[in-house]
Amino acid sequence: MKTSVNIAGVEFKNPVMTGSGTFGSGMEYSEFVDLNRLGAVVTKGVANVPWPGNPTPRVAEVYGGMLNAIGLQNPGIDVFMERDLEFLKQFDTKVIVNVCGKSVEDYIEVVEKLSDSNADMLEINVSCPNVKEGAIAFGQKADALYDITSRIKKVAKQPIIMKLSPNVTDITEMARAAEAAGADALSMINTLTGVKIDIERRKFVLANKTGGMSGPALKPIAVRMVWQCANAVQIPIIGMGGIATAEDAIEFLMAGATAVAVGAMNFINPYTTVEVADGIEKYMERHGIEDINEIIGCVK
Ligand SMILES: Cc1cc2nc3c(=O)[nH]c(=O)nc-3n(C[C@H](O)[C@H](O)[C@H](O)COP(=O)(O)O)c2cc1C
């Protein structure tokens, strides 16, 4: 039985990855989860310098998921390379580094520093709704997305994945712009902007007022967007948004995703990624599927 998938020349042992920002760099999770079982670890967004993130409260539970406004807190690329990337070297899994920035120059500085590292691919986060400057601004206008993608592509040594925002009118327009600018792959979806109000205090629950919605309630929207983009572009897609079970992941694969990532569910059940990988194998056995690639994009 073949469970491996190929994205831009990188071979993943199975299609199951971690969603950026929901698994750190795997350090804490490695006490529970055998990282060798994962197709890839996708790290939390990293910038050129340390970012403190947003004031608290910055997470809130909602029906079917959660809101977060972490604001891309991270230790900066230098500490990240010494600590997180070194840690990940001991595992037989691919490493995808999620990159964030406030200006194109910030992104480029991080991408250049990663050139000789053990990162197998770079995921460029142009879709975080929780930081005031940069980030999502690049992911909501097709011409800005084209510009940042082509400039990063010129300097990147690893294949680049552009992570798309669902907070747009037509996600296929963004997918086409990223592809035209030379993106090697796409990942989707990032969180969907939401608000929760504390009616006793008559205040926003999050200090940032708005937050990014993630979790199971997102899944039908995410599957729809993956399916639309898979029909709009030729480059591979990594699908995410509300995956809790192998069955959820298989929906994404059938809609056209070559791989999938598990995000918020890691907080509820830290074993979700491995359970999803095991469940996909069981599904393949049950249905006599020899190669996972047979089901990718099988629903047109
Ligand atoms: C607490 C939290 C932090 C996140 N941080 C990042 C991040 O640093 N970079 C990024 O591209 N996406 C980030 N995301 C988005 C997830 O990677 C994912 O795209 C989204 O949550 C949808 O998947 P899910 O419903 O499985 O969580 C974050 C999500 C959560 C819940």
Side-chain angles (χ1 to χ4, degrees), residues 54 60 62 66-70 125-132 134-137 139-140 164-169 189-197 204 206 208-215 217-218 221 225:
N54 289 328
V62 293
M66 64 180 284
L67 293 177
N68 93 82
I70 305 296
N125 179 9
V126 285
S127 46
C128 180
N130 303 322
V131 289
K132 290 202 171 50
I136 200 165
Q140 283 180 326
L164 300 187
S165 172
N167 302 304
V168 292
T169 310
I189 57 175
N190 209 318
T191 53
L192 202 58
T193 309
V195 161
K196 182 176 183 180
I197 290 172
F204 293 97
L206 298 176
N208 190 56
K209 298 182 181 170
T210 63
M213 168 84 190
S214 58
L218 228 59
I221 301 166
M225 289 186 166

Side-chain angles (χ1 to χ4, degrees), residues 18-23 42-46 58-59 64 66-70 72-73 98-100 123-130 163-164 187-192 212-219 222 240-244 261-267:
T18 61
S20 175
T22 64
F23 206 76
V42 183
T43 66
K44 169 81 187 159
V46 63
R58 48 190 195 176
V59 290
M66 64 180 284
L67 293 177
N68 93 82
I70 305 296
L72 296 173
Q73 179 177 345
N98 184 283
V99 179
C100 59
E123 179 177 58
I124 313 299
N125 179 9
V126 285
S127 46
C128 180
N130 303 322
K163 183 156 179 181
L164 300 187
S187 57
M188 67 188 71
I189 57 175
N190 209 318
T191 53
L192 202 58
M213 168 84 190
S214 58
L218 228 59
K219 194 188 68 175
M240 70 204 70
I243 296 177
V262 175
M265 278 308 291
N266 288 307
F267 301 134

Side-chain angles (χ1 to χ4, degrees), residues 12-278:
F12 298 87
K13 65 171 71 159
N14 66 51
V16 184
M17 307 178 174
T18 61
S20 175
T22 64
F23 206 76
S25 294
M27 265 177 227
E28 293 91 347
Y29 277 89
S30 65
E31 290 177 30
F32 310 101
V33 181
D34 179 6
L35 303 189
N36 301 300
R37 282 286 291 126
L38 305 180
V41 171
V42 183
T43 66
K44 169 81 187 159
V46 63
N48 57 335
V49 291
W51 288 7
N54 289 328
T56 57
R58 48 190 195 176
V59 290
E61 274 189 55
V62 293
Y63 288 117
M66 64 180 284
L67 293 177
N68 93 82
I70 305 296
L72 296 173
Q73 179 177 345
N74 76 89
I77 186 65
D78 295 336
V79 169
F80 174 84
M81 286 179 74
E82 262 169 43
R83 188 188 66 189
D84 303 52
L85 279 185
E86 275 306 306
F87 165 80
L88 285 168
K89 273 186 184 156
Q90 58 187 303
F91 300 101
D92 176 23
T93 186
K94 298 292 182 211
V95 175
I96 300 180
V97 176
N98 184 283
V99 179
C100 59
K102 293 185 172 133
S103 65
V104 180
E105 290 71 27
D106 287 0
Y107 283 90
I108 287 181
E109 192 181 331
V110 177
V111 167
E112 282 179 336
K113 285 198 173 167
L114 287 165
S115 336
D116 300 322
S117 73
N118 53 317
D120 296 288
M121 291 184 91
L122 310 180
E123 179 177 58
I124 313 299
N125 179 9
V126 285
S127 46
C128 180
N130 303 322
V131 289
K132 290 202 171 50
E133 308 153 76
I136 200 165
F138 299 109
Q140 283 180 326
K141 292 203 181 89
D143 52 350
L145 180 63
Y146 181 94
D147 180 61
I148 190 170
T149 306
S150 53
R151 287 175 65 189
I152 290 175
K153 183 62 192 163
K154 275 197 197 101
V155 295
K157 292 281 183 313
Q158 293 94 339
I160 62 167
I161 305 160
M162 298 308 289
K163 183 156 179 181
L164 300 187
S165 172
N167 302 304
V168 292
T169 310
D170 179 4
I171 196 165
T172 63
E173 192 195 337
M174 309 309 290
R176 285 199 190 91
E179 180 183 50
D184 298 285
L186 302 174
S187 57
M188 67 188 71
I189 57 175
N190 209 318
T191 53
L192 202 58
T193 309
V195 161
K196 182 176 183 180
I197 290 172
D198 179 337
I199 59 165
E200 300 302 328
R201 290 166 57 241
R202 300 188 185 192
K203 283 195 160 143
F204 293 97
V205 170
L206 298 176
N208 190 56
K209 298 182 181 170
T210 63
M213 168 84 190
S214 58
L218 228 59
K219 194 188 68 175
I221 301 166
V223 173
R224 184 260 294 176
M225 289 186 166
V226 165
W227 167 69
Q228 286 180 313
C229 289
N231 286 300
V233 297
Q234 302 298 318
I235 51 179
I237 296 173
I238 301 167
M240 70 204 70
I243 296 177
T245 63
E247 289 72 22
D248 296 336
I250 292 164
E251 280 194 51
F252 278 87
L253 297 174
M254 290 188 171
T258 303
V260 292
V262 175
M265 278 308 291
N266 288 307
F267 301 134
I268 308 284
N269 169 12
Y271 305 105
T272 309
T273 44
V274 174
E275 288 175 4
V276 168
D278 287 345

